[in-house]
Amino acid sequence: KKGRATKLKISNLSPIYSVIFDDIRIEFDGKPATQIAFVPIGTDLDVSFMTPEMMPPSWNYVNVSVFLDRQLLMALTHFSNGELFYVEFRDLSQPRTIASAPNEGSVSGGIVWMAGVQSFDAYFTNGSEVTTD
């Protein structure tokens, strides 16, 4: 399970609000993200990174630490509403049917089967064959 490219937007982390920093570190339940890059946009900060490899499907606590000259300035551990900062890692490598409904096709004389599928994008981008049982 490879790490995935991901982005976060952190509101109000900006020199405009006297928050001056030179490094950001992100951890998921203590496992560090890699290839962290950040760009200030207005009063917000866009942060891109690679998630840790081999993350099992689960909810994970996130800690974003902000540094200046290798000194910890702040740790962002909660959303603005006060809830702990958690994210869910899912295994999206295989498509999953989340809903299906057969409908009678009166015009065609057959049956039309409609399905809702989650985690399907790899099959569009990789050109893989999809089969149903």
Side-chain angles (χ1 to χ4, degrees), residues 22-70:
D22 59 10
D23 191 21
I24 291 182
R25 297 179 196 157
I26 303 171
E27 293 182 347
F28 298 88
D29 283 343
K31 296 178 183 176
T34 59
Q35 301 178 25
I36 299 171
F38 51 90
V39 175
I41 300 188
T43 59
D44 300 333
L45 189 74
D46 281 358
V47 183
S48 61
F49 57 94
M50 293 292 288
T51 62
E53 293 186 6
M54 303 302 291
M55 292 298 293
S58 62
W59 284 92
N60 292 269
Y61 174 71
V62 181
N63 181 353
V64 179
S65 300
V66 180
F67 294 85
L68 177 63
D69 296 327
R70 297 187 180 138

Side-chain angles (χ1 to χ4, degrees), residues 10 13 25 27 61-67 71-79 85:
I10 303 174
L13 185 59
R25 297 179 196 157
E27 293 182 347
Y61 174 71
V62 181
N63 181 353
V64 179
S65 300
V66 180
F67 294 85
Q71 297 293 319
L72 179 65
L73 294 178
M74 67 180 74
L76 309 172
T77 58
H78 292 76
F79 289 108
F85 188 1

